[in-house]
Amino acid sequence: MILSAHERMIARRYLLPHKGEGFIFVVAGFSVGAVALGVAALIVVMSVMNGFRADLFDRIVGLNGHAVVQGYNGQLEDWENVVDLAIATEGVTEATPMIEQPLMASSNGRVEGILLRGLRVEDITGNPLISENITAGRLSDVRVGSGNIALGARLAESLGARVGSEVSLISPEGRSTPVGTLPRIVSYRVSAIFEVGVYDYDKAFVVMPVEDAQTLLMLGDMVTTVELEVTDPDRVGRLLAPLAPQVSRSGVIVDWRQMNSALFEALEVERVAMFIVLCIIILVAAFNIASSLIMLVRAKRRDIAILRTMGASRAGMTRIFMAVGLTIGLVGILIGLALGATFLFFRQGVVDLIQAASGQDLWDPSVRFLSELPSKTDPFEVAAIVLVTLILVFIATLFPARKAAATDPVEVLRYE
């Protein structure tokens, strides 16, 4: 929309308050604020939800892989062959044998349910999600036959365990006696404590060398699963389709979407719902802009009539009032972008401040999965938010602009 020099001058005058037009200016100010809050809320909510999904995905996949080959009855006898077949499959970048078994742990008179994870030593130290998040102790001390293990931070808190503490792992698969099967209880020393940032994992995971796990669970040379990583997680099903029939005699392939389908589907539904709900805020702001323009048109009827008698065209009057409305919308968008960026930059500080002021735990990791408020801003989503806002503002300016253009100068100036 291109305005001539005199149209730009008139639009500037209409944007600034004059005597007797304070109420119109206040309404326009509220419109700017509503647009700004709507844009900021959309950017913040969408960025936090994107960050939540991305962070959760990275941490879940970082510990569980993109897919796993699960052995029937919880055992993979020919896991070496499964690993070889997986590595030979196009698109598979890594195949890691491991043992995963729910057990019980006891320390300092406390008992907690755990998820034992047995990995090769090189896989333990080579996993950045574990090795880069050690909060106490040394991961290098977790070696075969050392009797050392690594615990999740929340589990360590629940058991009252620290580096150097003794933790007893209790397996129901023990030795048979005349009175039944006695559970197998083996004590290990805590040599490292890690915090990956996912509450459920930090609360349950115990990591040890796979050879020690085989001894504890009396599995011999067997493992329970083979963890797979692929080049493109979104195409994991298609990439692993050729491998499925090859390993069908040993186990079944389960990918990350099947393991966490309910969680990620719920996140996606909530993301779409929040976008629609927050767009309503911008729609209300657009109605406010329309209201302020309607009042401005009524206040400027005499000016419009004079301009029309001086040769101003209907199209020119339409452009002037649309420029006024769009300017209000653009100012609101710019303020909203600034507010959204500021909140996202200081998001954790804001959450901590509100928690301190209210005394409420707004980000309980036992409920939210992650330990901190995440964020990931998508430039394409921000552009879409700005575009949607501009479209709504543009539509809101059409009626008052056309109303101004339809002003009949003869009718207005008849009694002047």
Side-chain angles (χ1 to χ4, degrees):
M1 184 171 58
I2 302 174
L3 276 70
S4 63
H6 74 276
E7 289 172 349
R8 285 197 298 271
M9 180 195 69
I10 296 170
R12 277 197 303 270
R13 288 180 62 87
Y14 285 176
L15 280 168
L16 300 175
H18 292 83
K19 187 176 180 180
E21 297 172 359
F23 182 72
I24 298 174
F25 183 73
V26 170
V27 174
F30 279 123
S31 301
V32 170
V35 171
L37 288 176
V39 170
L42 263 175
I43 291 173
V44 169
V45 170
M46 300 306 291
S47 296
V48 168
M49 296 197 71
N50 286 340
F52 190 86
R53 185 186 186 281
D55 207 2
L56 195 61
F57 176 81
D58 290 342
R59 294 173 191 271
I60 288 176
V61 169
L63 285 177
N64 296 324
H66 299 139
V68 294
V69 180
Q70 294 180 339
Y72 299 121
N73 298 322
Q75 296 180 354
L76 266 178
E77 296 184 7
D78 58 340
W79 61 267
E80 295 96 338
N81 182 49
V82 172
V83 170
D84 293 338
L85 290 172
I87 292 297
T89 302
E90 185 178 357
V92 176
T93 58
E94 194 172 338
T96 305
M98 66 179 185
I99 292 174
E100 190 171 86
Q101 184 70 33
L103 300 175
M104 300 294 291
S106 174
S107 181
N108 299 310
R110 307 176 188 178
V111 179
E112 293 286 340
I114 67 165
L115 188 62
L116 176 66
R117 176 68 66 91
L119 295 165
R120 294 176 299 193
V121 172
E122 60 269 25
D123 294 326
I124 295 175
T125 56
N127 189 323
L129 205 59
I130 297 177
S131 60
E132 295 177 5
N133 291 286
I134 299 297
T135 59
R138 295 186 302 180
L139 193 62
S140 58
D141 291 340
V142 181
R143 300 185 301 272
V144 179
S146 64
N148 292 333
I149 58 175
L151 297 183
R154 307 290 180 181
L155 177 61
E157 290 176 7
S158 299
L159 293 173
R162 297 177 296 176
V163 173
S165 298
E166 294 290 325
V167 174
S168 298
L169 301 187
I170 306 168
S171 171
E173 297 294 333
R175 54 192 180 86
S176 298
T177 67
V179 294
T181 302
L182 294 179
R184 182 175 172 80
I185 303 175
V186 181
S187 293
Y188 295 91
R189 177 180 175 272
V190 178
S191 65
I193 296 174
F194 58 87
E195 185 173 9
V196 300
V198 178
Y199 181 86
D200 287 357
Y201 293 166
D202 293 331
K203 177 70 175 174
F205 265 43
V206 173
V207 177
M208 66 166 56
V210 66
E211 293 85 354
D212 293 351
Q214 288 171 335
T215 301
L216 171 64
L217 300 174
M218 298 184 296
L219 291 176
D221 293 329
M222 292 185 293
V223 299
T224 60
T225 58
V226 172
E227 180 183 284
L228 306 176
E229 291 191 13
V230 298
T231 53
D232 186 357
D234 291 327
R235 297 174 55 241
V236 62
R238 190 180 308 173
L239 292 173
L240 295 180
L243 178 63
Q246 299 181 55
V247 300
S248 58
R249 291 187 177 181
S250 303
V252 60
I253 296 177
V254 181
D255 62 46
W256 67 268
R257 294 173 301 185
Q258 296 168 311
M259 289 186 283
N260 307 280
S261 59
L263 175 61
F264 286 103
E265 285 176 8
L267 286 176
E268 191 62 30
V269 170
E270 186 177 3
R271 182 169 169 271
V272 173
M274 290 302 296
F275 183 85
I276 294 173
V277 169
L278 291 174
C279 277
I280 296 175
I281 297 177
I282 299 177
L283 184 60
V284 172
F287 285 139
N288 283 341
I289 292 175
S291 299
S292 62
L293 286 180
I294 290 171
M295 287 188 291
L296 182 62
V297 169
R298 291 195 60 84
K300 298 293 185 181
R301 286 186 72 207
R302 186 172 179 275
D303 294 359
I304 296 169
I306 293 172
L307 289 171
R308 292 282 286 116
T309 58
M310 294 174 64
S313 65
R314 289 177 179 269
M317 298 311 301
T318 301
R319 288 195 295 269
I320 289 171
F321 282 92
M322 289 190 70
V324 172
L326 288 173
T327 301
I328 293 173
L330 283 171
V331 171
I333 289 171
L334 292 176
I335 295 175
L337 290 173
L339 284 175
T342 302
F343 182 89
L344 290 174
F345 186 79
F346 296 105
R347 63 188 183 278
Q348 194 59 44
V350 172
V351 172
D352 294 340
L353 180 63
I354 295 174
Q355 289 182 157
S358 64
Q360 300 295 320
D361 190 359
L362 300 180
W363 195 259
D364 184 357
S366 64
V367 177
R368 311 291 185 183
F369 291 99
L370 302 180
S371 301
E372 292 187 350
L373 182 66
S375 172
K376 183 181 179 182
T377 303
D378 185 348
F380 293 103
E381 278 190 352
V382 174
I385 291 169
V386 171
L387 182 61
V388 167
T389 305
L390 283 175
I391 291 173
L392 291 176
V393 171
F394 176 81
I395 293 172
T397 61
L398 285 177
F399 175 74
R402 289 181 176 275
K403 195 71 175 174
T407 299
D408 185 359
V410 176
E411 194 68 33
V412 175
L413 299 176
R414 176 179 295 175
Y415 302 106
E416 292 292 330

